[in-house]
Each structure stands twice: as structure tokens, then as C-alpha cells.
Amino acid sequence: MGSADRCLQFSRCYLATLFKDVQPSFVPSINFRQLTTAETRRNAHAATGDFPSKYNPKDVETGRYDWWMKHNCFSLVETPRVPFSILLPPPNVTGTLHLGHVLTTTVQDVFARWHRMSGRPVVWIPGMDHAGIATQVVVEKILWQNLKKSRHDIGRQRFCEEVALWKDEKKLKIKHQLKKIGASLDWSREFFTLDAKQSSAVVEAFIQLYNNGLIYRNEALVNWSCSLQTAISDIEVDHQLIEGRTKVIVPNCEEPVEFGVLHNFAYQICGTDEEIIVSTTRIETMLGDVAVAVHPEDPRYHHVIGKEVWHPFREEKIPVISDDFVDPEFGTGAVKITPAHDRTDYEVSRRHDLPVLKIISEDGKLNENCGKFAGIGRFNFRRMLVTELEKRNLLRSSSDHKMQVPFCSRSGDVVEFILKPQWYINCQEMAERAVLAVREGRLKIEPQSFERVWFTYLENIRDWCISRQLWWGHQIPLYKCQTMDNNSTWIAARNIEEAWKEAAAILRCGLKDMSVIQEEDVLDTWFSSALLPFSALGWPHQNEDMKTCYPLSIMVTGNDILFFWVARMVMLGERLTGQLPFKKIFLHGIICDAHGRKMSKSLGNVINPEHVSDGISLKDLQEEAHENFRAGLLSENELQKTLEGHKKLFPAGIPECGTDALRFSLLSQNIQNMSLNFDIATCHTNRLLCNKIWQACRYVRTFHESVWDSAKDDTLSSLSICDKWILSRLSVMIKAVNDAFKNQQLHLATSSLRSFIYTDFCDTYLETTKPLLKSPKSTSAQAACWTLMQCIETFLQTLCPFMPFLTEALHCHMQTGTQGQPLMLAPYPQEDQWMQWYNENIEKEFNKAISCVSAVRRIVSLCDIRGQRPKLYIETSSNKEQVTYEKLKDVVATLGDCASVTVGIAVPLKLHETYLKESLSPESSIFVILEKTQITEKMWLHINKKQKKLASELQKMQAVVSADGYKSKAALVVQEQHAEKIKDLESKLTTLQQIHRSLGSAADISPGSVSSQFILECSSSTYMDFVCYL
């Protein structure tokens, strides 16, 4: 079976299923005309309507997702193959999707579509997270904004009802956004982390862990938000670097609070006239000091270790201890120990058996242990304490100091460390098993560089605080059961009735003789999220989904939640199900703006993905910001930053780019880098690529209708070298894209697609067909038409996972495949089906023509003679190359826009002809012949302009390398790059100066009177190494 016959057999999507079953000995009996008929085209026209002249993203995208849903494209197809199962990281119901969500969703969608088109069943599970603290904070702000009431004013039940209403509204919005992105999710499996099934799984998991002794209650330091009145997780703490004295607005403080100050104050050593000067950045916690610590090897303090100092406010003695944690270089080298409000100090107190004295209450005010200062806000007390120390002559100095200040990301409040009874999960054993899974290769992490981070975190893991003092969330299924004589126990139960029965048996009393009260705290949101790989499939029930879809095939998410979510999924998954929850972790980087800054409200550089898809004016951007401020979603400071950011980043608004361009742009970078810079300009460039594809398809369909009816059954035997070359390039692209998918290197896939579509197909092959298709009845036109259709159909299928809306629309307009069948259900092009077309020799030959065309275009561009169609001579001393160039001279003429192309051993130049020469190889050169009228002042001015630009660039580079400290500060690799750049600029400038002098002389001669032979010889390897003769 010949390659042409085989490709004919597979030339349509609805016949592509034959790829897998066809035998080499089978010769198909298919009439070329049968593949599409006038009647088929008329039916298709009626179904698809006219082919618009311009690409319009909104027209292409509108209604497309509903059409996929109608055709049941996203549901699991029953096959014997193991499904590709993935879970969408559930967005929080706190607002709308940001670009980070869009990146994760797009990566998963591309994988899902590729597997689905490759014949593997796909289970992609959507859902949303209740996001306990984040959602509660937002609704509390809105409640106060609208009614001037707190949650305590309306009560727990009413407040949770208000949150539920907010949740329903946001769920609809997020679902709309996911559909707009094109996420091919199986919506029949949608979950919400507070729905009945998820709540049941959470309770079951908690009970199992508690009954196995892994959940315990303990008093320990927690991250406490005084304004929210709850413990918060590490991910909700933003550590901001304060360089020196800086005033910061803090919630519930009347005046800005100053940070970045190091205070030195004195403690009197008991029984002596000596004092020890202590350094601290948190002087307001002095009332909770229980010791002073120094380094054991610090000679300044050897004589005071073991002595006691006098606390001037509590009027009691506290010890001077030695501990290795003290940095002798910090301040005076002596520090205060306040175990109740500092993590490090708390550990020190446990090592040295020191008391723990709480002085700050949950509302951020000093408590009863502070005597006359009780009830004063912690930061107000700071100012009072400094004054009091000055009065007592104990303050020695205050100076600027760089420090990290922990802020609550939800409220903006300064995080306080408070000792409080909480519920914890013992993670030690589970963490060890998670480490072992990666070391043994049972769990893979991509990129592999994160394996070291994984080990470091899990080998030093702290127990997980899972209780939160909130109302919105899973109320902890623990019940405190207490008898009349104060015997008590905690029972983990599914409901209060179950708790009564268990408690009665344990406490040996009647039901009437004890009280049973459920714990008011709710579980950390990450607890329910950590169960999702199996709870979303129906666990704890062992149903069919758990048998076929668990463990998940892969977990795709951002590298910023590797520990907060991914590690916990692994730990709880293996503990509760006996299996790892997935086989591979695929981490992508964090989205930053075009300047590499992390997107945040405080910087005002957050980009709404819908604005990229649909476009928006600056006026509407700013109006939207004001609406978010009025709704309580932005603070006044964040509003101002946002307005300033909009003016700076988008002075003309954001242009409409479309969803496909947004998706393609996000995947055009290596998404496994630590961060990804997102630039609207890149999106707009990819929107132009979409338009180029659109116009290419319109061109092909136009000629397809005029050529196809004239086609003969033996058309494929007439394929030209151009036809075979593009089919070879198509096969290379298909292999590269499939390899990229297998290796999860999506940026290599997008690069291969762009290179083939933009350069190989549109800019090269399609241009070569234009002269041919003017004669529709010729065999060359029919072969070109067939080849064009093959390329269009195949690259649309290959591009489909990346640009689903555009490719589906063009699939309909091109009338390929079974009428009405979605392209996303068509078979994905495979390497083994197309490598029969790969031809290395043809590619080498055709590349010679491409090199020739590139040289012509360089010369034409340099001399600014576009559109003047010069004559071209190709001179070669190689018989082999002469044959190649002779065979491809029409291609060179078409692509190089030459009036004529002559190939020979020696070029027959006339005495007074002016030409520009460039070497293609040691054996071959081209001669671009210039008419005398083409050597004009305009050409001279054009080259003069280039010369000035190069001179300016050279001057800037020389200023950089001659700057003070350049040699010592710039990295060696950077210096080498700069040196190479300067060398290149100097070479180009020298060349252009030579041309400038020559053309300057020519410009003095009136057009038509040039009699001197003017030769410009070029070498592509050194840009344009011209030698000029007059």
C-alpha cells in the first residue's frame, strides 16, 4: 500500500478510525470524488452557514460549550481501558477565578482533551471549596458594609444562611468562567466541599483518625488573627519585610503602628549594681518575659549566666539562661524570652522548664496578668511602655532595624502568637510514609527539583492544627460528654445520638446523668480538601468509581500549595485508603505580571482573565475597581493601588484576545518554572495567530470548492516536492507534539504547532500554492488542494486541545468529518500514522530553497526595495545543487517575489548591471539584480536610519560596560553576553557604514545615469559582510 493511497484512505476524520485496523496488504478501493460531493457541501453549508471574513473570538466561542454538552462530550465513555482520572483543584467560593486558576484548568484540560482524543476514557472531576476563613471574612465585610452588623449580631444560623446565599451566587459565576475557559469537565460529578456526600466523608475520616489516636487536643502556640478571632494556617500568613522605621495601618488601631525598630532596655541583675541590656523588636510583650537568654559561648555574658534579673513591672525575679539559639550578633547579644507569644521562645521554655505567661488576649488587648495595663491594645501599650521605661531610666536606645512582620492575608491584621487549646493531627508517621513513597519512586514529582523541598518539609513537619474558631465550615464531630460528678471524655461521633450511647458506655452512667455538647470549632478547610482525591469518587463507599478511577492519574496544581494541600492529600490518602491518592504530582509556577512581580491587590496588578478574553477599556476597568471597593472586596489602599496599576499597565485598556489565545499564551512558557511572566502583548500576538489560521482556512476552502470537483482519482500520484515537503513537516510536528504531551512539556508542543502553522504552512507552503490554484483543472492544483486539506484537517485536530473553540469552529466551516460530530471527539493524529510521509532528503532540498528565499528577503529588506520584484541569479559549482535549485526555482520566485530566477554554473551578468551578492554555501551564491532606478536617495536614507539605530544601541551598551563597579557587580556570564553583543553591533555598524558611503555616492547621481558597477557581496553567517566597489 503506497503512502499516497494510505493517506487517501485516512484523509477524513470519520475514516480515521481505520488507522488502527488497516493492514499493509489492504489496498482501498475509494474514489477520490467520493470523499466530498457537491451535495455534501450544500448540506454542510446549510448546517454551518457562511464563513465569516474575519476571526471574531466572541462569535467563535458563543454557544460552543453548550454544543459540546449537548453531544455529551465530557462524560466517561465505557471502554476496557483504564481511565485518565484527574481532579480540578476546587476554586474557593470567595469571588472569581484569577489567572492562576485559569493556568491550572488549562493545563488539566489540555491533558484531558489529548487523552480523550487518543482513545482513552477521561474522568475529570469539578468542584468548589467552601474556603472557610476566606469566605467568612468576605461575607462579614459585606454584612458590615450593608447593615453595619457583625456575625455575632445576627447569630450563627442566620450568618451561615447569608454565607450560603453568597456561595450560591459565586458558584454560578465560577461555573460560567470554567465553561468560558473551555474546561471539558464531567459536570455530573460536580461536588461542593460542604455538600452531604463530602460532609459524610469528612466525618468518617475524622472518626477513623481520632479512634486511631492520630487526633489529639493540646495547648500550643497558633497563628492568631485578633480581628478575625480565629487561628489561621501558615498559608494565610504573609511575612512582609520591613527595612526600617515604617508606619503601617493595622485594623482596630486608631493610629498607624511603627515597625522596623530595635529597642534596647536594661534589666537590673539582682544583688549587684550591674545590668544586662536586652534587644527586642517586640517590646510590647515585655510583661510576659520569663527569662533573659544569651549564647553559652559569648564571653561578654559568662559571668551572668545562672543569675537572676529584676522584672520592674511584675516585681519578681527571672533567670538569665544560656542557649545556642541566641545570635550574639543580634543587638546586644542578650534577648528576652516570652514563651506565650513567640514560637522560638516557646521551644526554649520547654527546653529550660520555664513558665509560660500569657499577656495578650484573643482580641489583641493585654489581659489580667498585666495589672494596671489590662485592657489596653497591644500596640497602644507599646508606646506607653517605651515612655514608662524612659521614666524609669531603663530605655537605652531605639534604632532602625530590618525585620519580618507576619500579617494576616485575610484581614491585614498583624498576626499574634497565642497559646490556645486546639485540635491537632499527629503527622509524623504519615509524613515518613510520604517521604518513602517518593524515595522508592512510587510517587513522582515534576519538576524533580521539588523532591528535595518535599523531603525537607516532611522530615521536619510539625503536627497539623486543624481547628478553626469560625462558623462557616465542617463543625468538628467531637462531643464533650460530662457527668454530674465532672467525669468527662471526648467522643468522635457521626451525630449526637451516637455520642450519647458511646459516652454512656465509657462513663458508665445513664443518659440523663450527663451532658453532651459538640465542639463549636470547625475544621481547617485544608482537611476536607485533603480528602478530595477519594471523597470526590464516593469514599468511604467502595463503589465502581473507586475501583476504576482511584488512584488518580496525576495531580496538577501550583507549586505554592505543595505542602498545604498536596502533601496532606498524600498523607491522608495513604492512611485512609491504603493507597497513594495519585501516581504523579505535576507542579506549575506562579503567575506574575509582565515585569515579574507577583500579582496582588496591594500592587494593583491583578488581571481578570475575562478581561483578556473579552477586552475592556480603562474606564470600565476603573469602574469595576470602584464597584469591588463598594462591595468590600478591596480596601481603600488596595483601590488606589489598583487604579494606579491600571493606568500604568493598561493606559489604552486591554484588547480583546479571545479564550484560545489566552490558553495558548499561558502554555507557551515552560509552566514548570518557579514563576511565569504574563504579558497581554503575548496574548494579542496569539490572537493574530488565530486570525492567521482563520484566514488560511478560508483560503483553502475557497479553492477547495473550485478545484475539488475537477479532481481525478490519481491526483495523489501528482504530488509535487512542495506537497511532499509540507506533509513531511506535518509528520515531524505531530511527533514533536505527541512527545511533548508524553513528557508533559506543553511549551514544546505549542512551539512546534506555532512553527508549523505560522512558518511552514502559512508563510511557506500556502504561498507556493497560489500560482497553482489559478488553474483549478491542473493535476498540480488538485494535488495542492488535497495537500492543503490534509494539513488543515490534521493540524486542526492537533491544535484542538490547545485552542478548542477556534478549531471546532473551523472544523465546522471546513466541512470535515462526519457532519455534526465534534472535532474534540475525533482521533488525535499519531506519529506512527504520519511518519510514512517523513522524507529527510526532500526536507534538505527544500531547506536550500528556504535559505535562498531568506537571503533574498534580507537583501530586499536592507535596501528597502520591497514590491519591486528584482531578477535573481543562483550561481552554483555543484551539479547536485544545480539540479535542486532548478527543481525549486519556481518556489524561490514565488516566495522571494522575484521577477525571474535563473540557475547556472556561471551567472551571465551584464557589464553595467548593479547587483547584490550573498553566499549560500561554499558552492553557491545568489545575485539580486538592481535596476539603475532602484538605487535612490530613499535607499540611502533607509540604510542611514539603520546605521543611526545601531550606533545608538552600541553607545548604550558601551555605557553599561564602562559604568563604575560593572566588572565587580555583573555576573561573568552577563559580561560575556554584553561583550558578544558589542562585537556584533560593531560588525554590523562597520558594514552599514561601508554601504552608506557607497550609496551616498550613488545618490548624488541622478536616477538612470548610474554607469559604475556596484557590487555588494553578503555572507549570511556574518549578518551582511559587504564589500563595495564603485
Side-chain angles (χ1 to χ4, degrees), residues 319-347:
V320 178
I321 63 172
S322 64
D323 196 288
D324 290 339
F325 94 94
V326 179
D327 178 8
E329 301 299 319
F330 175 78
T332 62
V335 296
K336 55 198 277 307
I337 303 299
T338 317
H341 302 288
D342 185 275
R343 290 193 187 280
T344 303
D345 291 0
Y346 182 72
E347 295 301 320

Short mmCIF file of all heavy atoms in Angstrom, two decimals, residues 319-347:
data_model
loop_
_atom_site.label_atom_id
_atom_site.label_comp_id
_atom_site.label_asym_id
_atom_site.label_seq_id
_atom_site.Cartn_x
_atom_site.Cartn_y
_atom_site.Cartn_z
N PRO A 319 15.26 34.36 85.52
CA PRO A 319 16.64 33.88 85.37
C PRO A 319 17.31 34.36 84.08
O PRO A 319 16.65 34.72 83.11
CB PRO A 319 16.47 32.36 85.35
CG PRO A 319 15.12 32.15 84.75
CD PRO A 319 14.27 33.30 85.25
N VAL A 320 18.65 34.32 84.11
CA VAL A 320 19.46 34.50 82.91
C VAL A 320 19.93 33.12 82.50
O VAL A 320 20.60 32.43 83.28
CB VAL A 320 20.67 35.42 83.15
CG1 VAL A 320 21.51 35.54 81.88
CG2 VAL A 320 20.23 36.79 83.63
N ILE A 321 19.56 32.69 81.29
CA ILE A 321 19.89 31.34 80.82
C ILE A 321 20.79 31.43 79.59
O ILE A 321 20.92 32.49 78.97
CB ILE A 321 18.62 30.54 80.47
CG1 ILE A 321 17.87 31.22 79.31
CG2 ILE A 321 17.71 30.39 81.68
CD1 ILE A 321 16.71 30.40 78.76
N SER A 322 21.42 30.30 79.24
CA SER A 322 22.22 30.24 78.01
C SER A 322 21.61 29.22 77.07
O SER A 322 21.14 28.16 77.50
CB SER A 322 23.67 29.85 78.33
OG SER A 322 23.73 28.54 78.88
N ASP A 323 21.58 29.57 75.78
CA ASP A 323 21.00 28.67 74.78
C ASP A 323 21.64 28.96 73.42
O ASP A 323 21.86 30.12 73.07
CB ASP A 323 19.48 28.86 74.70
CG ASP A 323 18.80 27.70 73.99
OD1 ASP A 323 18.96 27.60 72.74
OD2 ASP A 323 18.14 26.89 74.66
N ASP A 324 21.87 27.89 72.65
CA ASP A 324 22.54 28.03 71.36
C ASP A 324 21.75 28.83 70.34
O ASP A 324 22.30 29.31 69.35
CB ASP A 324 22.84 26.65 70.76
CG ASP A 324 23.92 25.92 71.53
OD1 ASP A 324 24.69 26.60 72.24
OD2 ASP A 324 23.99 24.68 71.44
N PHE A 325 20.43 28.97 70.55
CA PHE A 325 19.61 29.66 69.54
C PHE A 325 19.93 31.15 69.46
O PHE A 325 19.66 31.81 68.45
CB PHE A 325 18.12 29.45 69.84
CG PHE A 325 17.49 30.56 70.65
CD1 PHE A 325 16.85 31.62 70.02
CD2 PHE A 325 17.58 30.55 72.04
CE1 PHE A 325 16.28 32.64 70.77
CE2 PHE A 325 17.02 31.57 72.78
CZ PHE A 325 16.36 32.62 72.15
N VAL A 326 20.51 31.72 70.50
CA VAL A 326 20.77 33.16 70.55
C VAL A 326 21.87 33.52 69.55
O VAL A 326 22.92 32.87 69.50
CB VAL A 326 21.19 33.61 71.96
CG1 VAL A 326 21.48 35.11 71.98
CG2 VAL A 326 20.10 33.27 72.97
N ASP A 327 21.64 34.57 68.78
CA ASP A 327 22.63 35.09 67.84
C ASP A 327 23.40 36.23 68.52
O ASP A 327 22.83 37.29 68.79
CB ASP A 327 21.94 35.61 66.59
CG ASP A 327 22.92 36.22 65.58
OD1 ASP A 327 24.15 36.10 65.80
OD2 ASP A 327 22.44 36.81 64.59
N PRO A 328 24.68 36.01 68.83
CA PRO A 328 25.45 37.07 69.52
C PRO A 328 25.53 38.37 68.74
O PRO A 328 25.79 39.43 69.31
CB PRO A 328 26.85 36.44 69.67
CG PRO A 328 26.62 34.97 69.57
CD PRO A 328 25.48 34.80 68.61
N GLU A 329 25.30 38.29 67.40
CA GLU A 329 25.38 39.48 66.56
C GLU A 329 24.09 40.29 66.56
O GLU A 329 24.04 41.40 66.03
CB GLU A 329 25.73 39.09 65.12
CG GLU A 329 27.05 38.33 64.97
CD GLU A 329 28.22 39.17 65.44
OE1 GLU A 329 28.23 40.39 65.15
OE2 GLU A 329 29.11 38.62 66.12
N PHE A 330 23.00 39.71 67.10
CA PHE A 330 21.72 40.42 67.12
C PHE A 330 21.71 41.41 68.29
O PHE A 330 21.72 41.01 69.47
CB PHE A 330 20.57 39.44 67.26
CG PHE A 330 19.21 40.10 67.40
CD1 PHE A 330 18.56 40.61 66.29
CD2 PHE A 330 18.61 40.22 68.65
CE1 PHE A 330 17.32 41.23 66.43
CE2 PHE A 330 17.38 40.83 68.80
CZ PHE A 330 16.73 41.34 67.68
N GLY A 331 21.67 42.71 67.97
CA GLY A 331 21.63 43.74 69.00
C GLY A 331 22.77 43.60 69.98
O GLY A 331 23.95 43.53 69.61
N THR A 332 22.41 43.51 71.26
CA THR A 332 23.43 43.40 72.31
C THR A 332 23.88 41.96 72.55
O THR A 332 24.79 41.72 73.34
CB THR A 332 22.85 43.95 73.63
OG1 THR A 332 21.72 43.15 74.02
CG2 THR A 332 22.45 45.40 73.48
N GLY A 333 23.20 41.00 71.90
CA GLY A 333 23.53 39.59 72.13
C GLY A 333 22.75 38.98 73.27
O GLY A 333 22.88 37.80 73.57
N ALA A 334 21.90 39.78 73.94
CA ALA A 334 21.03 39.29 75.01
C ALA A 334 19.58 39.53 74.58
O ALA A 334 19.24 40.62 74.10
CB ALA A 334 21.31 40.01 76.33
N VAL A 335 18.74 38.50 74.73
CA VAL A 335 17.35 38.61 74.27
C VAL A 335 16.40 38.20 75.39
O VAL A 335 16.77 37.45 76.30
CB VAL A 335 17.09 37.74 73.02
CG1 VAL A 335 17.93 38.21 71.85
CG2 VAL A 335 17.39 36.26 73.31
N LYS A 336 15.17 38.69 75.29
CA LYS A 336 14.13 38.36 76.25
C LYS A 336 13.40 37.09 75.81
O LYS A 336 13.30 36.81 74.62
CB LYS A 336 13.14 39.52 76.38
CG LYS A 336 12.54 39.96 75.05
CD LYS A 336 11.92 41.35 75.10
CE LYS A 336 10.54 41.39 75.65
NZ LYS A 336 9.57 40.51 75.02
N ILE A 337 12.89 36.33 76.73
CA ILE A 337 12.16 35.10 76.43
C ILE A 337 10.71 35.27 76.86
O ILE A 337 10.41 35.45 78.05
CB ILE A 337 12.79 33.88 77.15
CG1 ILE A 337 14.27 33.73 76.76
CG2 ILE A 337 12.02 32.61 76.81
CD1 ILE A 337 14.51 33.49 75.29
N THR A 338 9.81 35.23 75.84
CA THR A 338 8.37 35.40 76.08
C THR A 338 7.64 34.20 75.48
O THR A 338 7.13 34.28 74.36
CB THR A 338 7.86 36.72 75.44
OG1 THR A 338 8.80 37.76 75.70
CG2 THR A 338 6.50 37.10 75.98
N PRO A 339 7.59 33.08 76.16
CA PRO A 339 7.11 31.82 75.56
C PRO A 339 5.67 31.86 75.07
O PRO A 339 5.33 31.17 74.10
CB PRO A 339 7.24 30.81 76.72
CG PRO A 339 8.19 31.42 77.68
CD PRO A 339 8.01 32.90 77.55
N ALA A 340 4.84 32.67 75.68
CA ALA A 340 3.41 32.65 75.32
C ALA A 340 3.12 33.37 74.02
O ALA A 340 2.01 33.26 73.50
CB ALA A 340 2.59 33.28 76.45
N HIS A 341 4.13 34.10 73.46
CA HIS A 341 3.84 34.90 72.28
C HIS A 341 4.96 34.87 71.23
O HIS A 341 5.07 35.78 70.41
CB HIS A 341 3.54 36.35 72.70
CG HIS A 341 2.39 36.44 73.65
ND1 HIS A 341 1.09 36.24 73.26
CD2 HIS A 341 2.37 36.66 74.99
CE1 HIS A 341 0.30 36.34 74.32
NE2 HIS A 341 1.05 36.60 75.39
N ASP A 342 5.77 33.82 71.27
CA ASP A 342 6.83 33.67 70.27
C ASP A 342 7.14 32.17 70.14
O ASP A 342 7.35 31.49 71.15
CB ASP A 342 8.08 34.44 70.72
CG ASP A 342 9.17 34.40 69.65
OD1 ASP A 342 9.95 33.41 69.64
OD2 ASP A 342 9.26 35.34 68.86
N ARG A 343 7.17 31.67 68.88
CA ARG A 343 7.38 30.23 68.67
C ARG A 343 8.74 29.77 69.18
O ARG A 343 8.85 28.73 69.84
CB ARG A 343 7.25 29.90 67.18
CG ARG A 343 5.84 30.01 66.63
CD ARG A 343 5.76 29.34 65.24
NE ARG A 343 4.47 29.56 64.63
CZ ARG A 343 3.37 28.87 64.91
NH1 ARG A 343 3.42 27.92 65.84
NH2 ARG A 343 2.24 29.11 64.29
N THR A 344 9.78 30.53 68.85
CA THR A 344 11.12 30.13 69.28
C THR A 344 11.23 30.15 70.79
O THR A 344 11.77 29.22 71.41
CB THR A 344 12.17 31.07 68.66
OG1 THR A 344 12.04 31.05 67.24
CG2 THR A 344 13.57 30.61 69.04
N ASP A 345 10.70 31.20 71.39
CA ASP A 345 10.75 31.31 72.85
C ASP A 345 9.98 30.18 73.53
O ASP A 345 10.35 29.70 74.61
CB ASP A 345 10.18 32.66 73.31
CG ASP A 345 11.07 33.83 72.91
OD1 ASP A 345 12.12 33.58 72.28
OD2 ASP A 345 10.71 34.98 73.21
N TYR A 346 8.90 29.75 72.88
CA TYR A 346 8.11 28.65 73.45
C TYR A 346 8.93 27.36 73.49
O TYR A 346 8.90 26.63 74.49
CB TYR A 346 6.84 28.45 72.61
CG TYR A 346 5.92 27.38 73.15
CD1 TYR A 346 5.19 27.60 74.32
CD2 TYR A 346 5.78 26.16 72.49
CE1 TYR A 346 4.35 26.61 74.82
CE2 TYR A 346 4.94 25.18 72.98
CZ TYR A 346 4.23 25.40 74.15
OH TYR A 346 3.40 24.42 74.65
N GLU A 347 9.69 27.11 72.42
CA GLU A 347 10.55 25.92 72.41
C GLU A 347 11.66 26.04 73.45
O GLU A 347 12.03 25.06 74.11
CB GLU A 347 11.15 25.74 71.01
CG GLU A 347 10.13 25.44 69.92
CD GLU A 347 9.33 24.18 70.21
OE1 GLU A 347 9.94 23.21 70.71
OE2 GLU A 347 8.12 24.17 69.96
#
